Amino acid sequence: MRLIVFILGVWCLTTNATAQDRAAVEKQFQLWLNETVWPRAKAKGVSRHTMRQAFDGVTLNWKLPDLVPPGQKVSTPKKQKQAEFGSPARYFNAGSVQGATSVGRQMARRHAATLSRVEAETGVPARIILAIWGRESGYGKVPIRHDTFRVLGTKGFMSTRAEYFTEELIAALQIAEAGAAPPGAMKSSWAGALGQPQFMPSNYLTYAADGNGDGKADIWTSDEDTIASIGNYLAQHGWVNGRDWGFEVFVPETVSCALEGPDQGLPIRDWAAMGITRVSGKPFPEHEQKGEGFLMMPAGRFGPAFIVTPNFYVLKEYNKSDLYALFVGHVGDRIQYGVPDFRGRWDKIDGMYRSDIATMQRKLEQEGHDVGGADGLPGFKTRRSIGRWQQTSGRAATCFPSKSLQQALTR
């Protein structure tokens, strides 16, 4: 009984100390808002009324990821309890793909005139705009519940990218000052993204467009403005009118998977000359033959392969993930052309900790490979570095991490 009382006492002391620490941090947060954020916001034309209204009753959201409270250092848990990395196949689950496709076709019919006009103005295909809209907010149907100012305030005050989120907070205050959002609409994702196209506030200020001619850019309640804004964003980031995003292909064993990457482009006719063919059996379109193409193998030899165009990397300007861009391109093709699932199969891969992959990346760096940073995520630089290491070691190149490869690398 005494032991139980003792344990409860220690627990209470710990809990009280934590509460006191958080209370102190909350005071620092309010001081930061007044001394750092307010002067910068004021310089951008934000009124004191808007500032007060935005932060009335707002406290820190301690549940957000990547927080670093004042006085603490960025740390990575030594032991990870869950496998944080798995097969890319999970990104393409049937429910997500089919849902985005079926609703996308409905939206294509409903907004045919707006989509046609925006495509003519920007060069961005309607199917691509629809696929992004579907991925970002389920065509406006997915509830967005986070308080924008609480999210951006918290992450601006104490996150691993504090300056970036502080800038976004200032931009959000500018949006509020302009009255651009309908009342009660300044909700965001956990990362601070706004509205149906999920624009960060600074992107709203730069790329949001009026799609219905009412003089406003309402990405919260207007489907037409959402469509125009997505098209404008991609156009301003370099979408090449008349080119596709990419093609699923067969890559023969004679073509190394280590040739992947946006810095190893070749005319598409040269890839075809190596023996790479479209899975559809059709030749590459004539107008694409002389254009630059890039090998993209998101799971190395354990999944589908693609020849992508520069437009694929424009899609990555919307979201840096290869899988995101691939999802958008694939769903867009399903919406307009009715293409089936990928022909290439996503093979089962080893479940691994990100820390394990980071260990592999550091080892490859020590041997002179550019893996794009030891972040535990196997991007194209890591994938092809694995392939190059396998080739020089006399192994068959798979260009993808595995437990056996980790063991071989770290012996």
Side-chain angles (χ1 to χ4, degrees):
M1 184 66 182
R2 287 182 180 177
L3 179 60
I4 295 174
V5 170
F6 174 76
I7 292 172
L8 286 173
V10 170
W11 179 83
C12 289
L13 285 171
T14 303
T15 304
N16 289 336
T18 302
Q20 289 169 3
D21 290 344
R22 288 197 174 185
V25 174
E26 291 283 359
K27 289 181 180 179
Q28 292 180 58
F29 173 56
Q30 295 300 324
L31 191 65
W32 174 78
L33 288 174
N34 287 323
E35 295 187 353
T36 300
V37 175
W38 164 238
R40 292 171 64 173
K42 183 180 179 182
K44 292 288 187 177
V46 176
S47 68
R48 193 61 164 164
H49 172 74
T50 296
M51 181 77 181
R52 286 179 180 144
Q53 194 172 47
F55 286 99
D56 182 27
V58 169
T59 58
L60 293 166
N61 184 342
W62 293 86
K63 295 180 180 179
L64 295 176
D66 303 320
L67 299 184
V68 187
Q72 294 188 18
K73 294 181 179 179
V74 179
S75 62
T76 302
K78 291 184 179 179
K79 261 192 174 178
Q80 297 178 19
K81 296 182 180 179
Q82 295 182 352
E84 296 185 3
F85 175 75
S87 171
R90 296 184 302 182
Y91 206 93
F92 299 92
N93 70 80
S96 295
V97 171
Q98 293 169 8
T101 300
S102 61
V103 179
R105 288 173 181 158
Q106 296 172 22
M107 292 298 180
R109 293 190 291 270
R110 183 179 303 172
H111 298 291
T114 300
L115 286 162
S116 178
R117 176 173 51 78
V118 172
E119 181 170 342
E121 291 173 353
T122 65
V124 181
R127 71 183 190 276
I128 296 296
I129 295 172
L130 288 166
I132 287 179
W133 187 14
R135 183 67 192 179
E136 292 297 337
S137 65
Y139 304 97
K141 303 303 181 185
V142 174
I144 301 171
R145 298 190 174 94
H146 290 281
D147 181 284
T148 300
F149 298 107
R150 189 181 189 204
V151 167
L152 293 174
T154 299
K155 295 180 83 68
F157 177 63
M158 58 172 192
S159 81
T160 54
R161 300 172 65 198
E163 181 53 31
Y164 166 76
F165 285 107
T166 300
E167 291 288 346
E168 293 298 338
L169 174 57
I170 304 299
L173 288 165
Q174 290 178 262
I175 294 170
E177 179 66 30
M186 283 296 280
K187 302 293 183 181
S188 74
S189 71
W190 62 265
L194 307 173
Q196 296 189 49
Q198 285 290 274
F199 277 2
M200 293 302 290
S202 62
N203 285 335
Y204 173 88
L205 294 176
T206 306
Y207 304 110
D210 176 11
N212 57 14
D214 66 355
K216 300 177 181 178
D218 177 3
I219 63 171
W220 297 272
T221 63
S222 170
D223 292 353
E224 293 83 1
D225 291 3
T226 295
I227 290 167
S229 296
I230 294 172
N232 185 50
Y233 182 97
L234 295 176
Q236 295 300 320
H237 280 84
W239 185 272
V240 182
N241 191 4
R243 294 208 67 185
D244 210 320
W245 66 270
F247 309 89
E248 188 185 357
V249 296
F250 291 122
V251 180
E253 294 294 332
T254 52
V255 177
S256 171
C257 55
L259 291 175
E260 182 182 7
D263 53 352
Q264 298 191 104
L266 295 170
I268 287 181
R269 63 184 173 215
D270 289 1
W271 292 111
M274 293 182 191
I276 292 178
T277 58
R278 294 176 65 185
V279 298
S280 65
K282 300 176 182 178
F284 292 102
E286 186 62 33
H287 72 277
E288 294 279 10
Q289 293 268 355
K290 64 181 180 181
E292 193 170 25
F294 312 89
L295 182 61
M296 209 278 289
M297 301 177 73
R301 289 286 180 183
F302 302 119
F306 306 86
I307 293 294
V308 299
T309 77
N311 285 337
F312 179 84
Y313 296 101
V314 175
L315 293 178
K316 286 189 66 176
E317 292 295 328
Y318 209 103
N319 182 306
K320 299 300 183 184
S321 165
D322 286 338
L323 299 180
Y324 176 92
L326 186 56
F327 181 96
V328 166
H330 179 58
V331 168
D333 287 351
R334 292 173 75 102
I335 289 171
Q336 183 166 345
Y337 305 123
V339 301
D341 294 339
F342 294 135
R343 287 282 299 277
R345 188 182 65 166
W346 298 102
D347 293 340
K348 185 177 180 181
I349 64 171
D350 293 340
M352 300 181 71
Y353 297 127
R354 280 183 62 177
S355 56
D356 292 335
I357 296 172
T359 299
M360 294 173 60
Q361 290 170 321
R362 285 190 288 270
K363 181 62 176 177
L364 287 165
E365 285 178 332
Q366 291 171 9
E367 298 197 14
H369 294 279
D370 176 9
V371 298
D375 58 2
L377 296 173
F380 76 89
K381 287 187 176 181
T382 294
R383 295 194 295 265
R384 71 186 186 192
S385 292
I386 287 172
R388 290 167 180 169
W389 183 87
Q390 289 170 318
Q391 288 170 352
T392 58
S393 302
R395 293 172 166 81
T398 64
C399 297
F400 208 70
S402 66
K403 291 181 179 178
S404 61
L405 180 62
Q406 180 191 4
Q407 293 170 356
L409 260 171
T410 55
R411 277 178 191 154

